């Protein structure tokens, strides 16, 4: 087919018409088709992954739901409301009511030791004899003078009664007799000082002297201690001093006799508070019938104060003390789908107070009648299933008896 344009005047070579190319129109259609197919495959892949993850999570949840760990065996106790002893603790030391280092009032050489170290003596018992022969000689001389003076006085009185002798002779004889008696009294006092005696009943300590030793006045011979009654001296703070009063009961314990207590009464409260420490000294008197307490022992003192109102308490072992706060595991009952009842625990934070006799005061967090885990908290977490042990709970140690 020859196309001739209008207006052409000359002959031109016939140009065959260009055939239309259909490929450019078909390529976009194919690309869209491939994008659709790829999107469908990607959606199927993503959907498969999501479905697989959902299926896996469901199976895992079902597995754990059907494989619950067995309940943890614990010991449970009931929260109580009780009146606890109101105690004031302090530390101090023991001192003897009567204790002295026996000494001599005069100088002298020891001629005899009349005691055994560590023995018990009574008041007035002789302990040490010092050399007293010169004083014994003076005593004999004064006694002889007293005899002569007495005879002279009697004769002077007879003569004066018959008005033969003057009254001045009687006065001189009386003065000589009195002077001789004064010499006797003085010499006997010196002799008594040469014999050292026990000033009171007690137990002697270690001997510090030997026979033949020259003893200066004031040198220690032996210690003497009355162990029947002791003082317990201790201090309390200015804040706690207002709660103390004379006559209150104290309980004293010492390291030498663990588990044993010795009762006494407060007998003296220092009227002044030390400005350096803001403490006040208190003294209690303790009867020591067995003489087992010794002066100088370290004493743990408990003052029994009037009872406080009833407080909510749990055993100390039931409280979990951590840096984040104190807590207990509260036991709760939970009904299952099958109608059975199971027990679980829930960590409950509490505010604790004083700890007395193995029990802790709970000021806030639980109520009387609640049950808490007392033993086995290390295996617990909030929401865990528990089972109460039928075995008796271990004895909780107490520092002091409740009665």
């Amino acid at each position: 087919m020859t196309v001739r344009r209008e207006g052409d005047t000359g002959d031109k070579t016939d140009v065959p018409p260009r055939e239309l190319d259909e490929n450019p129109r078909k390529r976009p259609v194919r690309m869209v088709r491939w994008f659709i197919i790829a999107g469908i495959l990607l959606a199927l892949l993503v959907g498969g992954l999501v479905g697989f993850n959902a299926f896996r999570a469901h199976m895992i949840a079902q597995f754990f739901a059907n494989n619950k760990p067995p309940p943890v065996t614990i010991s449970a106790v009931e929260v109580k409301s009780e009146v606890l002893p109101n105690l004031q603790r302090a530390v101090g030391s023991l001192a003897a009511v009567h204790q002295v280092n026996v000494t001599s009032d005069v100088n002298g050489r020891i001629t005899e030791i009349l005691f055994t170290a560590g023995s018990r003596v009574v008041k007035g018992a002789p302990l040490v004899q010092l050399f007293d022969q010169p004083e014994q000689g003076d005593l004999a001389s004064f006694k002889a003078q007293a005899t002569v003076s007495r005879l002279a006085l009697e004769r002077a009185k007879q003569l004066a009664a018959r008005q033969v002798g003057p009254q001045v002779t009687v006065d001189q004889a009386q003065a000589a007799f009195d002077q001789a008696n004064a010499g006797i009294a003085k010499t006997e006092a010196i002799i008594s000082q040469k014999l050292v005696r026990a000033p009171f009943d007690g137990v002697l300590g270690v001997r510090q002297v030997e026979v033949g030793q020259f003893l200066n006045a004031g040198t220690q011979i032996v210690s003497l201690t009355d162990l029947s009654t002791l003082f317990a001296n201790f201090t309390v703070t200015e804040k706690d001093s207002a709660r103390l009063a004379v006559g209150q009961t104290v309980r004293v314990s010492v390291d030498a006799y663990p588990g044993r207590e010795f009762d006494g009464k407060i007998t003296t409260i220092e009227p002044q508070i030390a400005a350096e420490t803001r403490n006040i000294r208190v003294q209690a008197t303790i009867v020591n019938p067995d003489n087992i307490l010794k002066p100088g022992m370290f004493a743990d003192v408990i003052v029994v104060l009037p009872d406080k109102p009833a407080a909510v308490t749990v055993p100390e072992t039931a409280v979990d003390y951590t840096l984040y706060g104190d807590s207990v595991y509260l036991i709760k009952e939970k009904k299952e789908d099958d109608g059975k009842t199971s027990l679980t625990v829930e960590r409950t934070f509490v505010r604790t107070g004083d700890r007395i006799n193995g029990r802790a005061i709970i000021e806030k967090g639980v109520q009387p009648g609640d049950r808490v885990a007392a033993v086995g908290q290390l295996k617990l977490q909030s929401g865990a299933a528990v089972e109460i042990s039928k075995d008796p709970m271990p004895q909780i140690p107490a520092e002091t008896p409740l009665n």
Side-chain angles (χ1 to χ4, degrees), residues 230-245:
L230 297 179
F231 286 140
N233 298 318
F234 58 97
T235 60
V236 298
T237 62
E238 178 183 359
K239 174 183 175 182
D240 297 327
S241 63
R243 304 197 296 171
L244 302 184

Side-chain angles (χ1 to χ4, degrees), residues 58-290:
H58 173 72
M59 294 303 295
I60 291 174
Q62 186 177 2
F63 174 79
F64 283 108
N66 296 328
N67 292 274
K68 293 181 179 179
V72 179
T73 302
I74 62 171
S75 294
V77 292
E78 184 176 338
V79 180
K80 295 181 179 180
S81 176
E82 57 183 338
V83 177
L84 293 178
N86 186 14
L87 307 176
Q88 172 67 46
R89 295 186 176 275
V91 293
S93 60
L94 300 182
V97 175
H98 301 293
Q99 182 176 9
V100 69
N101 292 326
V102 181
T103 61
S104 173
D105 296 335
V106 295
N107 301 332
R109 177 171 53 86
I110 298 176
T111 60
E112 190 176 5
I113 295 178
L114 305 172
F115 70 91
T116 302
S119 62
R120 181 180 296 277
V121 295
V122 297
K123 181 179 179 180
L127 302 178
V128 170
Q129 177 64 63
L130 301 181
F131 181 69
D132 63 351
Q133 292 302 318
E135 288 76 15
Q136 293 289 354
D138 293 340
L139 179 61
S141 175
F142 284 122
K143 286 183 177 180
Q145 294 177 17
T147 301
V148 173
S149 300
R150 180 175 56 81
L151 295 175
L153 177 61
E154 290 176 354
R155 287 194 297 268
K157 286 183 177 180
Q158 291 175 359
L159 293 174
R162 294 196 299 265
Q163 297 182 354
V164 176
Q167 182 64 31
V168 64
T169 304
V170 176
D171 295 339
Q172 290 175 350
Q174 182 68 50
F177 180 67
D178 292 343
Q179 185 176 7
N181 286 332
I184 292 174
K186 178 180 178 181
T187 306
E188 287 180 343
I190 295 175
I191 292 175
S192 67
Q193 288 179 317
K194 294 295 181 82
L195 179 60
V196 181
R197 298 178 180 272
F200 50 82
D201 298 350
V203 179
L204 297 172
V206 179
R207 190 181 68 185
Q208 303 291 333
V209 295
E210 295 290 345
V211 175
Q213 175 182 343
F214 185 83
L215 191 67
N216 293 318
T219 302
Q220 179 179 350
I221 299 174
V222 67
S223 65
L224 178 63
T225 306
D226 180 8
L227 296 177
S228 61
T229 306
L230 297 179
F231 286 140
N233 298 318
F234 58 97
T235 60
V236 298
T237 62
E238 178 183 359
K239 174 183 175 182
D240 297 327
S241 63
R243 304 197 296 171
L244 302 184
V246 174
Q248 288 177 335
T249 301
V250 298
R251 298 171 183 170
V252 177
S253 58
V254 295
D255 295 337
Y257 304 99
R260 185 170 179 179
E261 292 184 340
F262 304 87
D263 293 341
K265 298 286 186 181
I266 293 179
T267 52
T268 307
I269 299 177
E270 182 71 37
Q272 297 181 359
I273 294 178
E276 299 81 7
T277 60
R278 299 301 176 186
N279 291 339
I280 186 170
R281 295 185 60 187
V282 183
Q283 188 175 79
T285 303
I286 303 170
V287 178
N288 187 25
D290 299 331

